[in-house]
Amino acid sequence: MTPPEGYHLGGSVGMLAMGRHDPCARFVDGAFWYASRTPDGPGSLSLRRDGASLVATGHGPGAGWLVDRAPAIAGLDDDLTGFADLAAAHPVVAELARVHRGVRLPATGRLFPRLLRAILEQKVTGKEAYRAYAATARRFGEPAPGPVERLFLPPEAEAIAAAPYWVFHPFGVEQRRADTLRRAAAEAARLERCATSAEATRRMTAIAGIGPWTAAEVVRTVYGDPDAVSVGDYHIPNTVAWALAGEARADDARMLELLAPFTGHRGRVCVLLESAGIAAPRFGPRMPIRSFARF
Protein backbone atom coordinates (compact mmCIF):
# COMPACT_ATOMS: atom_id res chain seq x y z
CA MET A 1 0.00 0.00 0.00
CA THR A 2 1.13 3.56 -0.71
CA PRO A 3 -0.04 5.97 2.00
CA PRO A 4 -0.44 9.69 1.31
CA GLU A 5 2.43 12.06 1.90
CA GLY A 6 2.93 12.74 5.58
CA TYR A 7 0.86 9.75 6.68
CA HIS A 8 1.37 8.98 10.38
CA LEU A 9 0.96 5.28 11.17
CA GLY A 10 1.05 5.66 14.94
CA GLY A 11 -1.34 8.60 15.01
CA SER A 12 -3.83 6.74 12.86
CA VAL A 13 -3.90 3.15 14.08
CA GLY A 14 -3.04 4.20 17.61
CA MET A 15 -6.75 5.00 18.03
CA LEU A 16 -7.43 1.27 17.85
CA ALA A 17 -5.40 0.47 20.95
CA MET A 18 -6.15 1.26 24.57
CA GLY A 19 -2.71 2.37 25.58
CA ARG A 20 0.68 0.80 24.88
CA HIS A 21 -0.19 -2.55 26.41
CA ASP A 22 -3.59 -3.26 24.89
CA PRO A 23 -3.89 -7.08 24.86
CA CYS A 24 -5.59 -7.04 21.44
CA ALA A 25 -3.78 -4.26 19.55
CA ARG A 26 -0.36 -2.70 20.03
CA PHE A 27 2.98 -1.81 18.48
CA VAL A 28 5.71 -4.44 18.62
CA ASP A 29 9.17 -3.62 17.21
CA GLY A 30 7.79 -0.81 15.08
CA ALA A 31 4.89 -2.80 13.58
CA PHE A 32 1.28 -2.40 14.63
CA TRP A 33 -0.47 -5.66 15.46
CA TYR A 34 -4.24 -5.91 15.48
CA ALA A 35 -6.09 -9.08 16.48
CA SER A 36 -9.66 -9.64 15.33
CA ARG A 37 -12.39 -12.20 14.93
CA THR A 38 -13.42 -11.94 11.29
CA PRO A 39 -16.24 -13.51 9.24
CA ASP A 40 -13.61 -16.04 8.09
CA GLY A 41 -12.30 -16.84 11.55
CA PRO A 42 -9.67 -15.50 13.95
CA GLY A 43 -6.76 -13.54 12.59
CA SER A 44 -4.11 -10.97 13.28
CA LEU A 45 -2.85 -8.16 11.06
CA SER A 46 0.58 -6.56 11.06
CA LEU A 47 1.05 -3.06 9.59
CA ARG A 48 4.58 -1.75 9.17
CA ARG A 49 6.36 0.93 7.20
CA ASP A 50 8.83 -0.09 4.50
CA GLY A 51 10.20 3.10 3.07
CA ALA A 52 7.33 4.93 1.41
CA SER A 53 5.12 1.84 1.50
CA LEU A 54 2.89 0.34 4.14
CA VAL A 55 3.07 -3.45 4.31
CA ALA A 56 0.18 -5.55 5.59
CA THR A 57 0.70 -9.16 6.71
CA GLY A 58 -2.05 -11.43 7.98
CA HIS A 59 -2.03 -14.58 10.08
CA GLY A 60 -4.65 -17.20 10.81
CA PRO A 61 -7.91 -18.16 9.07
CA GLY A 62 -8.98 -14.50 9.00
CA ALA A 63 -5.74 -13.31 7.39
CA GLY A 64 -7.25 -12.76 3.95
CA TRP A 65 -10.17 -10.74 5.32
CA LEU A 66 -7.84 -8.57 7.38
CA VAL A 67 -5.37 -7.95 4.57
CA ASP A 68 -8.20 -7.04 2.19
CA ARG A 69 -9.43 -4.55 4.79
CA ALA A 70 -5.94 -3.30 5.69
CA PRO A 71 -6.28 0.05 3.85
CA ALA A 72 -9.41 0.89 5.85
CA ILE A 73 -7.90 -0.33 9.13
CA ALA A 74 -4.82 1.81 8.48
CA GLY A 75 -7.00 4.85 7.75
CA LEU A 76 -6.05 5.04 4.08
CA ASP A 77 -9.71 5.02 3.05
CA ASP A 78 -10.48 8.02 5.25
CA ASP A 79 -12.36 10.58 3.15
CA LEU A 80 -11.23 14.16 3.82
CA THR A 81 -13.44 15.67 1.12
CA GLY A 82 -14.46 19.18 2.10
CA PHE A 83 -12.44 19.29 5.30
CA ALA A 84 -9.75 21.66 4.02
CA ASP A 85 -12.32 24.35 3.23
CA LEU A 86 -14.00 23.94 6.61
CA ALA A 87 -10.69 24.00 8.47
CA ALA A 88 -9.59 27.17 6.72
CA ALA A 89 -12.40 29.08 8.44
CA HIS A 90 -10.69 28.85 11.85
CA PRO A 91 -6.95 29.51 12.34
CA VAL A 92 -6.51 26.88 15.06
CA VAL A 93 -8.24 24.14 13.08
CA ALA A 94 -6.39 25.15 9.92
CA GLU A 95 -3.07 24.79 11.73
CA LEU A 96 -4.08 21.45 13.24
CA ALA A 97 -5.12 20.17 9.82
CA ARG A 98 -1.72 21.20 8.43
CA VAL A 99 0.51 19.90 11.22
CA HIS A 100 -1.42 16.66 11.78
CA ARG A 101 -2.42 15.99 8.18
CA GLY A 102 -1.00 12.49 8.50
CA VAL A 103 -3.55 11.41 11.13
CA ARG A 104 -6.31 9.43 9.40
CA LEU A 105 -9.39 7.77 10.85
CA PRO A 106 -9.30 3.96 10.77
CA ALA A 107 -12.34 1.82 10.01
CA THR A 108 -12.10 -1.71 11.36
CA GLY A 109 -15.54 -2.94 10.36
CA ARG A 110 -15.79 -4.96 13.61
CA LEU A 111 -18.17 -3.38 16.10
CA PHE A 112 -18.47 -5.50 19.23
CA PRO A 113 -14.80 -5.38 20.38
CA ARG A 114 -14.85 -1.58 20.32
CA LEU A 115 -18.24 -1.49 22.02
CA LEU A 116 -16.97 -3.78 24.78
CA ARG A 117 -14.12 -1.39 25.46
CA ALA A 118 -16.35 1.70 25.33
CA ILE A 119 -18.80 0.26 27.84
CA LEU A 120 -15.94 -0.52 30.22
CA GLU A 121 -14.74 3.08 29.81
CA GLN A 122 -18.06 4.55 30.95
CA LYS A 123 -17.78 6.97 33.89
CA VAL A 124 -14.53 5.65 35.32
CA THR A 125 -10.91 6.77 35.21
CA GLY A 126 -8.65 5.66 32.40
CA LYS A 127 -6.72 3.42 34.79
CA GLU A 128 -9.89 1.72 35.98
CA ALA A 129 -11.14 1.30 32.43
CA TYR A 130 -7.88 -0.26 31.25
CA ARG A 131 -7.80 -2.67 34.17
CA ALA A 132 -11.34 -3.85 33.41
CA TYR A 133 -10.77 -4.05 29.66
CA ALA A 134 -7.45 -5.89 29.84
CA ALA A 135 -8.73 -8.37 32.43
CA THR A 136 -11.88 -9.05 30.40
CA ALA A 137 -9.90 -9.55 27.19
CA ARG A 138 -7.52 -12.00 28.86
CA ARG A 139 -10.27 -13.84 30.74
CA PHE A 140 -12.55 -14.35 27.75
CA GLY A 141 -10.09 -14.07 24.85
CA GLU A 142 -7.55 -16.51 23.50
CA PRO A 143 -4.10 -16.20 21.90
CA ALA A 144 -4.24 -14.61 18.46
CA PRO A 145 -2.68 -16.28 15.42
CA GLY A 146 0.81 -15.12 14.56
CA PRO A 147 4.21 -14.75 16.21
CA VAL A 148 3.42 -12.07 18.81
CA GLU A 149 3.31 -13.34 22.37
CA ARG A 150 0.46 -12.25 24.64
CA LEU A 151 -1.60 -10.87 21.75
CA PHE A 152 -5.20 -11.90 22.37
CA LEU A 153 -8.27 -12.17 20.21
CA PRO A 154 -11.16 -10.04 21.48
CA PRO A 155 -13.72 -11.98 23.51
CA GLU A 156 -16.52 -13.81 21.73
CA ALA A 157 -19.78 -11.95 22.22
CA GLU A 158 -21.55 -15.19 23.05
CA ALA A 159 -19.20 -15.84 25.97
CA ILE A 160 -19.75 -12.36 27.39
CA ALA A 161 -23.53 -12.64 27.03
CA ALA A 162 -23.59 -15.98 28.85
CA ALA A 163 -21.38 -14.87 31.77
CA PRO A 164 -23.13 -13.93 35.05
CA TYR A 165 -22.54 -10.31 36.05
CA TRP A 166 -20.49 -11.23 39.11
CA VAL A 167 -17.73 -12.69 36.91
CA PHE A 168 -16.74 -9.11 36.09
CA HIS A 169 -16.54 -7.92 39.72
CA PRO A 170 -12.88 -8.94 40.22
CA PHE A 171 -12.05 -6.71 37.23
CA GLY A 172 -13.54 -3.66 38.97
CA VAL A 173 -16.75 -3.72 36.92
CA GLU A 174 -19.93 -3.01 38.88
CA GLN A 175 -23.26 -4.62 38.01
CA ARG A 176 -24.50 -1.66 35.95
CA ARG A 177 -21.68 -1.85 33.40
CA ALA A 178 -21.59 -5.64 33.52
CA ASP A 179 -25.29 -5.83 32.69
CA THR A 180 -24.89 -3.28 29.88
CA LEU A 181 -22.03 -5.30 28.48
CA ARG A 182 -24.02 -8.52 28.60
CA ARG A 183 -27.02 -6.87 26.91
CA ALA A 184 -24.80 -5.49 24.16
CA ALA A 185 -23.15 -8.89 23.68
CA ALA A 186 -26.57 -10.50 23.25
CA GLU A 187 -27.25 -8.04 20.39
CA ALA A 188 -23.76 -8.27 18.87
CA ALA A 189 -24.76 -10.25 15.77
CA ARG A 190 -27.39 -7.67 14.83
CA LEU A 191 -25.02 -4.81 15.57
CA GLU A 192 -22.29 -6.28 13.37
CA ARG A 193 -24.72 -6.30 10.43
CA CYS A 194 -25.28 -2.54 10.58
CA ALA A 195 -24.26 -1.07 7.23
CA THR A 196 -23.74 2.54 8.32
CA SER A 197 -22.63 4.59 11.28
CA ALA A 198 -26.13 6.05 11.64
CA GLU A 199 -27.76 2.62 11.73
CA ALA A 200 -25.25 1.36 14.27
CA THR A 201 -25.81 4.41 16.46
CA ARG A 202 -29.57 3.87 16.43
CA ARG A 203 -29.27 0.21 17.33
CA MET A 204 -26.64 0.74 20.03
CA THR A 205 -28.49 3.57 21.77
CA ALA A 206 -31.64 1.43 21.85
CA ILE A 207 -29.80 -0.84 24.31
CA ALA A 208 -30.24 0.17 27.95
CA GLY A 209 -27.01 1.64 29.31
CA ILE A 210 -25.64 2.84 25.95
CA GLY A 211 -25.88 6.53 25.14
CA PRO A 212 -24.46 8.96 22.59
CA TRP A 213 -20.98 9.04 24.15
CA THR A 214 -20.51 5.29 23.88
CA ALA A 215 -21.97 5.14 20.37
CA ALA A 216 -19.71 7.93 19.10
CA GLU A 217 -16.59 6.30 20.56
CA VAL A 218 -17.51 3.14 18.64
CA VAL A 219 -18.51 4.45 15.22
CA ARG A 220 -15.54 6.80 14.95
CA THR A 221 -13.14 3.89 14.45
CA VAL A 222 -15.46 1.07 13.34
CA TYR A 223 -16.94 3.06 10.44
CA GLY A 224 -14.35 5.83 10.30
CA ASP A 225 -17.11 8.35 10.99
CA PRO A 226 -15.47 11.82 10.93
CA ASP A 227 -18.53 13.55 12.37
CA ALA A 228 -18.94 11.42 15.52
CA VAL A 229 -18.76 13.65 18.60
CA SER A 230 -18.56 12.10 22.07
CA VAL A 231 -21.36 14.05 23.73
CA GLY A 232 -21.28 13.54 27.49
CA ASP A 233 -17.51 13.45 27.88
CA TYR A 234 -16.04 15.16 30.94
CA HIS A 235 -13.08 16.79 29.16
CA ILE A 236 -13.90 17.26 25.47
CA PRO A 237 -16.29 20.24 25.80
CA ASN A 238 -13.65 22.15 27.77
CA THR A 239 -10.95 21.24 25.26
CA VAL A 240 -13.05 22.36 22.29
CA ALA A 241 -14.09 25.60 23.97
CA TRP A 242 -10.53 26.42 25.02
CA ALA A 243 -9.04 25.72 21.60
CA LEU A 244 -11.71 27.36 19.47
CA ALA A 245 -12.98 30.19 21.68
CA GLY A 246 -10.48 30.68 24.51
CA GLU A 247 -13.10 29.58 27.05
CA ALA A 248 -11.80 27.34 29.82
CA ARG A 249 -15.12 25.67 30.60
CA ALA A 250 -18.10 24.63 28.47
CA ASP A 251 -20.99 22.21 28.38
CA ASP A 252 -22.07 19.92 25.55
CA ALA A 253 -24.37 22.55 24.04
CA ARG A 254 -21.54 25.08 23.78
CA MET A 255 -19.20 22.45 22.37
CA LEU A 256 -21.69 21.54 19.65
CA GLU A 257 -22.22 25.21 18.87
CA LEU A 258 -18.48 25.73 18.36
CA LEU A 259 -18.18 22.57 16.27
CA ALA A 260 -21.20 23.36 14.08
CA PRO A 261 -19.12 25.10 11.35
CA PHE A 262 -17.25 21.82 10.88
CA THR A 263 -20.34 19.64 10.47
CA GLY A 264 -19.38 16.49 8.62
CA HIS A 265 -15.96 16.53 10.29
CA ARG A 266 -16.74 17.51 13.89
CA GLY A 267 -15.27 14.30 15.28
CA ARG A 268 -12.16 14.81 13.19
CA VAL A 269 -11.62 18.20 14.80
CA CYS A 270 -11.81 16.56 18.24
CA VAL A 271 -9.30 13.91 17.15
CA LEU A 272 -6.91 16.61 15.91
CA LEU A 273 -7.19 18.47 19.20
CA GLU A 274 -6.29 15.29 21.05
CA SER A 275 -3.43 14.56 18.64
CA ALA A 276 -2.02 18.01 19.35
CA GLY A 277 -2.25 17.48 23.10
CA ILE A 278 -4.47 20.53 23.59
CA ALA A 279 -6.29 20.67 26.91
CA ALA A 280 -8.14 23.34 28.87
CA PRO A 281 -6.35 24.72 31.94
CA ARG A 282 -7.11 23.06 35.23
CA PHE A 283 -8.66 25.21 37.89
CA GLY A 284 -9.07 24.65 41.62
CA PRO A 285 -6.89 24.86 44.72
CA ARG A 286 -3.95 22.61 45.13
CA MET A 287 -4.51 19.67 47.45
CA PRO A 288 -2.37 19.83 50.59
CA ILE A 289 0.49 17.37 50.79
CA ARG A 290 -0.05 14.88 53.58
CA SER A 291 2.36 12.40 55.07
CA PHE A 292 1.21 9.05 56.35
CA ALA A 293 2.93 6.96 58.96
CA ARG A 294 3.26 3.24 58.39
CA PHE A 295 1.76 1.02 61.02
Side-chain angles (χ1 to χ4, degrees):
M1 297 178 288
T2 303
E5 183 179 358
Y7 171 75
H8 195 293
L9 177 61
S12 301
V13 299
M15 302 179 211
L16 303 179
M18 191 176 187
R20 296 170 55 192
H21 305 292
D22 189 313
C24 304
R26 64 179 181 273
F27 276 91
V28 179
D29 297 330
F32 182 73
W33 285 85
Y34 170 75
S36 177
R37 298 184 188 275
T38 80
D40 298 332
S44 62
L45 176 71
S46 165
L47 295 169
R48 62 178 178 84
R49 296 300 299 257
D50 184 5
S53 298
L54 185 64
V55 178
T57 306
H59 299 267
W65 190 94
L66 286 167
V67 170
D68 287 344
R69 194 166 181 89
I73 294 172
L76 303 186
D77 291 348
D78 184 17
D79 186 2
L80 276 74
T81 301
F83 181 59
D85 291 338
L86 296 178
H90 194 290
V92 172
V93 180
E95 181 67 4
L96 290 173
R98 183 188 68 81
V99 174
H100 299 281
R101 67 187 185 281
V103 175
R104 302 302 177 94
L105 297 179
T108 65
R110 305 304 291 165
L111 189 147
F112 180 69
R114 185 61 185 90
L115 178 55
L116 178 149
R117 173 182 147 190
I119 291 170
L120 294 176
E121 290 176 305
Q122 291 176 345
K123 298 184 179 181
V124 294
T125 66
K127 184 176 181 179
E128 291 170 324
Y130 175 78
R131 175 195 170 198
Y133 167 70
T136 301
R138 294 183 177 116
R139 167 65 174 78
F140 291 95
E142 59 194 78
V148 177
E149 295 182 359
R150 295 185 295 279
L151 183 69
F152 288 81
L153 292 165
E156 291 268 22
E158 294 82 0
I160 297 292
Y165 77 86
W166 48 260
V167 169
F168 300 93
H169 281 190
F171 312 153
V173 182
E174 78 291 346
Q175 185 172 353
R176 181 191 63 81
R177 279 186 297 157
D179 286 346
T180 300
L181 184 56
R182 293 161 65 237
R183 285 191 292 267
E187 295 292 324
R190 293 178 62 201
L191 293 173
E192 293 288 1
R193 292 195 294 268
C194 292
T196 66
S197 171
E199 181 186 2
T201 296
R202 286 195 302 271
R203 288 191 180 276
M204 282 190 287
T205 53
I207 299 171
I210 296 178
W213 181 90
T214 303
E217 291 291 303
V218 172
V219 299
R220 187 179 304 114
T221 56
V222 174
Y223 296 88
D225 186 344
D227 202 44
V229 181
S230 300
V231 174
D233 192 272
Y234 183 79
H235 298 289
I236 295 176
N238 298 335
T239 298
V240 170
W242 178 249
L244 302 188
E247 301 167 7
R249 293 294 179 267
D251 57 14
D252 284 328
R254 178 57 173 157
M255 173 185 70
L256 293 174
E257 178 186 356
L258 291 169
L259 290 174
F262 310 102
T263 296
H265 293 274
R266 296 176 300 170
R268 188 187 307 281
V269 172
C270 295
V271 167
L272 291 175
L273 291 172
E274 182 178 0
S275 298
I278 295 174
R282 296 181 178 181
F283 291 161
R286 292 182 178 273
M287 296 297 292
I289 298 175
R290 297 183 175 91
S291 61
F292 295 88
R294 291 184 179 182
F295 294 95

